Amino acid sequence: VQLQASGGGLVQAGGSLRLSCAVSRGTFSSYNMGWFRQAPGKEREFVAAISWSGGTTYYADSVKGRFTISRDNAKNTVYLQMNSLKPEDTAVYYCAAGGSIRGSSSTYNYWGQGTLVTVSS
Protein backbone atom coordinates (compact mmCIF):
# COMPACT_ATOMS: atom_id res chain seq x y z
CA VAL A 1 0.00 0.00 0.00
CA GLN A 2 1.35 3.40 -0.99
CA LEU A 3 0.09 6.75 0.25
CA GLN A 4 0.93 10.07 -1.40
CA ALA A 5 0.03 13.23 0.47
CA SER A 6 -0.13 16.62 -1.21
CA GLY A 7 -1.59 20.08 -0.83
CA GLY A 8 0.60 21.58 1.84
CA GLY A 9 2.05 25.04 1.60
CA LEU A 10 2.36 28.46 3.16
CA VAL A 11 -0.81 30.28 4.17
CA GLN A 12 -1.66 33.25 6.34
CA ALA A 13 -3.54 32.84 9.57
CA GLY A 14 -7.24 32.61 8.88
CA GLY A 15 -6.69 31.05 5.50
CA SER A 16 -7.54 27.62 4.15
CA LEU A 17 -5.82 24.64 2.60
CA ARG A 18 -7.01 21.27 1.38
CA LEU A 19 -4.76 18.29 1.77
CA SER A 20 -5.16 15.18 -0.35
CA CYS A 21 -3.87 11.68 0.13
CA ALA A 22 -4.01 9.24 -2.76
CA VAL A 23 -3.77 5.56 -1.95
CA SER A 24 -2.57 2.91 -4.34
CA ARG A 25 -1.82 -0.80 -4.25
CA GLY A 26 -4.39 -1.57 -1.63
CA THR A 27 -8.08 -1.89 -0.97
CA PHE A 28 -8.73 1.74 -0.12
CA SER A 29 -12.45 1.28 0.45
CA SER A 30 -11.76 -1.16 3.29
CA TYR A 31 -9.44 1.13 5.26
CA ASN A 32 -10.20 3.58 7.98
CA MET A 33 -8.08 6.63 7.16
CA GLY A 34 -6.43 9.16 9.44
CA TRP A 35 -4.52 12.40 9.39
CA PHE A 36 -1.80 13.11 11.90
CA ARG A 37 0.63 15.99 12.28
CA GLN A 38 4.00 16.64 13.80
CA ALA A 39 5.21 20.11 14.67
CA PRO A 40 8.91 20.86 15.11
CA GLY A 41 10.14 19.51 18.43
CA LYS A 42 6.84 17.84 19.24
CA GLU A 43 5.45 14.36 19.05
CA ARG A 44 3.14 13.25 16.28
CA GLU A 45 -0.49 13.89 17.17
CA PHE A 46 -3.87 12.80 15.89
CA VAL A 47 -5.84 15.27 13.77
CA ALA A 48 -8.80 13.47 12.21
CA ALA A 49 -10.02 10.07 11.08
CA ILE A 50 -12.76 8.68 8.88
CA SER A 51 -14.24 5.22 8.70
CA TRP A 52 -13.95 3.01 5.63
CA SER A 53 -17.48 3.91 4.56
CA GLY A 54 -17.16 7.60 5.32
CA GLY A 55 -20.03 7.34 7.73
CA THR A 56 -18.06 8.12 10.88
CA THR A 57 -15.56 10.87 11.49
CA TYR A 58 -13.54 11.80 14.52
CA TYR A 59 -11.53 14.95 15.26
CA ALA A 60 -9.02 16.21 17.75
CA ASP A 61 -10.51 18.92 19.93
CA SER A 62 -7.94 21.40 18.63
CA VAL A 63 -9.29 21.21 15.07
CA LYS A 64 -12.96 20.45 15.63
CA GLY A 65 -15.16 22.92 13.77
CA ARG A 66 -12.27 24.09 11.56
CA PHE A 67 -11.11 20.94 9.77
CA THR A 68 -13.18 18.46 7.79
CA ILE A 69 -12.05 15.00 6.73
CA SER A 70 -13.71 13.32 3.77
CA ARG A 71 -13.02 10.56 1.30
CA ASP A 72 -13.82 9.57 -2.26
CA ASN A 73 -13.63 5.80 -2.54
CA ALA A 74 -13.96 5.99 -6.32
CA LYS A 75 -10.76 8.05 -6.45
CA ASN A 76 -8.95 6.20 -3.64
CA THR A 77 -8.35 9.55 -1.99
CA VAL A 78 -8.89 11.06 1.43
CA TYR A 79 -9.03 14.81 2.01
CA LEU A 80 -8.49 17.20 4.86
CA GLN A 81 -10.12 20.59 4.41
CA MET A 82 -8.49 23.03 6.80
CA ASN A 83 -10.17 26.37 7.44
CA SER A 84 -9.46 29.21 9.86
CA LEU A 85 -5.86 28.10 10.08
CA LYS A 86 -3.77 29.21 13.03
CA PRO A 87 0.01 29.45 13.43
CA GLU A 88 -0.18 26.53 15.86
CA ASP A 89 -1.44 24.36 13.01
CA THR A 90 2.02 24.56 11.45
CA ALA A 91 3.33 21.02 11.10
CA VAL A 92 4.09 18.20 8.73
CA TYR A 93 0.80 16.45 8.04
CA TYR A 94 0.74 12.71 7.47
CA CYS A 95 -2.02 10.51 6.15
CA ALA A 96 -2.32 6.96 7.37
CA ALA A 97 -4.37 3.91 6.48
CA GLY A 98 -5.68 0.82 8.15
CA GLY A 99 -5.93 1.89 11.75
CA SER A 100 -8.59 2.27 14.38
CA ILE A 101 -10.73 5.35 13.85
CA ARG A 102 -10.28 6.39 17.47
CA GLY A 103 -6.90 4.78 17.84
CA SER A 104 -3.43 6.12 18.24
CA SER A 105 -0.91 6.33 15.46
CA SER A 106 0.41 2.92 16.47
CA THR A 107 -2.78 1.29 15.16
CA TYR A 108 -2.15 2.48 11.60
CA ASN A 109 -0.32 0.13 9.26
CA TYR A 110 0.50 2.39 6.34
CA TRP A 111 1.83 5.95 6.18
CA GLY A 112 2.40 8.62 3.59
CA GLN A 113 5.52 10.77 3.37
CA GLY A 114 4.00 13.91 4.85
CA THR A 115 3.26 17.36 3.51
CA LEU A 116 4.34 20.58 5.21
CA VAL A 117 1.77 23.16 6.25
CA THR A 118 3.09 26.52 7.42
CA VAL A 119 0.70 29.12 8.82
CA SER A 120 2.12 32.60 9.19
CA SER A 121 0.78 35.10 11.71
Side-chain angles (χ1 to χ4, degrees):
V1 179
Q2 293 184 334
L3 289 74
Q4 181 71 42
S6 61
L10 174 63
V11 63
Q12 289 188 333
S16 298
L17 281 175
R18 189 176 82 155
L19 305 183
S20 300
C21 176
V23 179
S24 60
R25 299 184 182 180
T27 310
F28 176 76
S29 60
S30 70
Y31 298 136
N32 294 332
M33 297 295 298
W35 285 97
F36 293 79
R37 67 187 182 186
Q38 188 166 17
K42 295 187 177 181
E43 294 188 351
R44 189 173 298 186
E45 65 175 2
F46 169 79
V47 176
I50 187 167
S51 63
W52 61 271
S53 66
T56 302
T57 56
Y58 184 53
Y59 297 92
D61 287 344
S62 58
V63 307
K64 202 172 295 182
R66 300 188 297 121
F67 291 11
T68 302
I69 189 171
S70 62
R71 66 189 296 159
D72 185 338
N73 284 353
K75 295 183 178 180
N76 288 359
T77 301
V78 63
Y79 305 98
L80 185 68
Q81 178 67 44
M82 306 186 294
N83 298 329
S84 302
L85 282 161
K86 305 175 181 180
E88 52 263 43
D89 294 318
T90 295
V92 176
Y93 284 71
Y94 298 89
C95 58
S100 171
I101 189 170
R102 291 178 181 262
S104 69
S105 59
S106 64
T107 71
Y108 283 81
N109 300 316
Y110 309 106
W111 290 83
Q113 85 289 359
T115 185
L116 176 62
V117 172
T118 303
V119 184
S120 63
S121 57

